[in-house]
Amino acid sequence: MAANVSPVRPAPLDAQRVRADFPILATTVNGHPLVYLDSAASAQRPLQVLRAVEEYETHSHANVHRGVHALSQAATAAYEGARERVRRFINARSTREIIFVRGTTEGINLVAQAYARPRFKAGDEILITALEHHANIVPWQMVCEASGCSLRVAPINRRGELELEEFLKLLGPRTRLVAVAHVSNALGTVLPLKRIIEAAHAHGAVVLVDGAQAVPHAHVDVRALGADFYTFSSHKLYGPTGIGVLYGREELLASMPPWQGGGDMILTVSFEKTTYNELPWKFEAGTPNMSGAVGLAAAMDYVESLGLTAIAEHEQHLLGLATAELARLPDVEIIGTAAHKASVLSFTMKGVHPHDLGTILDAEGVAVRTGHHCAMPVMTFFGLPATARASFGCYNTEGDVASLVAALHKARGVFS
Ligand code: 7TS
């Protein structure tokens, strides 16, 4: 994602030193040292994140926004401090534009239900691409069912790249919203976001970006991108589960009705009329995930301390190495060969079901994901039931790639 990385070149990543921050990587699996190649599903957490959560839970926990007592104020400061940390991380204009959600899935559903559903009608169109995760398909299908609007899907080619010309042709006066992944989770393809956003805006459409697979691998600047909505999950960014972020341009968020009702999103309640809180709390009903937010902020500190450019370069090196090694293996086919990829390597082995392959690799301590990766239409496009997928994070090494290759040789032996 060269267009988005910081121009300052930090020192290259010392993955061995980084690994010391992740105690779980010392685990042995089936008698082998763990080789964790499933960060695209969920990354592991460094001590810095674990300690920040422990510190909050041990010394600062109470409910937020509700008490004048010291702990409630400490919790509120920690939670709202985390919001400011997120704002800075993605360069949003204001903390009013940062909504804490459970994760990417909830972020997309919030926009679907509170932005799209009330305003779209028959004749309106939502445009997505053929490489989306189910979380960026199903919420829009639900909107279409409820409102009568239609879903259009821009095609991909055999390399797993978006057919940009076809995408541009599908944009028109009826297009109200474009929802695209920044990076495909099943194939690793990086989408030409700036071009997509400019074209969508030229047609008056609003753009939601599913950034789940992008934020851990590149510096994302929502204002430079021009995204209207951008959402991501903490747990893929070395932070805790159960927390994520929806960024929305203030003007859009302000124009939307609340989604869920309950505490924190109200100002006053009577049986006749309830008035809603201001942004961002209008979209945060109920007691939020304070420790999660604190952990996410610590994860952002962590990746910035390593340098997102250094992380990206390190992962690109591993991706290039693994791609070259797997390409040399007979019977292995790489699925997703886009010119611009990030950190994900999907593949199949002839004659071996990906689940069996995953089981053999696990016996060697190598953790890869196997399945449809919640992107069934991508699998259908390639005529496959599933793939095996290795994904890389800041703690992976050339040794991990070598272990993957050795385990694949072993699997070939077992099945031949
Ligand atoms: N969008 C993309 C591109 C994703 O990769 C994922 C999760 C989601 C949305 C949903 O994120 P969540 O945190 O709300 O669940 N992707 C994967 C994966 O590739 N393997 O497991 C989860």
Side-chain angles (χ1 to χ4, degrees), residues 40-41 103-105 133 135 183 185 210 212-213 233 235-236 369 389:
T104 309
T105 302
H133 185 282
V183 174
N185 71 313
D210 169 353
Q213 297 293 346
S233 303
H235 69 99
K236 296 185 201 286
R369 179 127 308 223
R389 182 191 69 183

Side-chain angles (χ1 to χ4, degrees), residues 1-2 4-13 215-220 303-317:
M1 280 176 280
N4 299 324
V5 294
S6 145
V8 187
R9 245 174 184 272
L13 202 73
V215 165
H217 310 295
H219 174 62
V220 170
V303 292
E304 285 192 353
S305 76
L306 299 183
L308 274 154
T309 308
I311 293 175
E313 284 179 359
H314 175 71
E315 292 170 347
Q316 284 295 323
H317 170 67

Side-chain angles (χ1 to χ4, degrees), residues 7 16 44 51 53-54 75 90 101 107 150 165 190 209 214 218 237 243 253 282 301 304 335 341 355 371 401 413:
Q16 285 304 343
Q44 300 298 346
R51 286 189 184 134
V53 171
E54 184 183 14
I90 58 171
V101 288
S150 318
E165 289 310 313
V190 180
V209 181
L237 184 65
I243 184 101
L253 291 174
K282 182 172 95 174
D301 287 344
E304 285 192 353
I335 309 298
K341 280 182 67 170
H355 287 304
V401 175

Side-chain angles (χ1 to χ4, degrees), residues 38-42 102-109 131-136 180-186 210-214 231-236 241-244 344 369 372-375 389 391:
D38 198 19
S39 299
S42 200
R102 276 194 300 130
T104 309
T105 302
E106 190 172 82
I108 297 171
N109 276 278
L131 46 66
E132 302 306 321
H133 185 282
H134 296 163
N136 202 24
V180 289
H182 196 162
V183 174
S184 151
N185 71 313
D210 169 353
Q213 297 293 346
T231 184
F232 58 94
S233 303
S234 153
H235 69 99
K236 296 185 201 286
T241 51
I243 184 101
V344 162
R369 179 127 308 223
H372 52 63
H373 316 294
C374 291
R389 182 191 69 183
S391 52

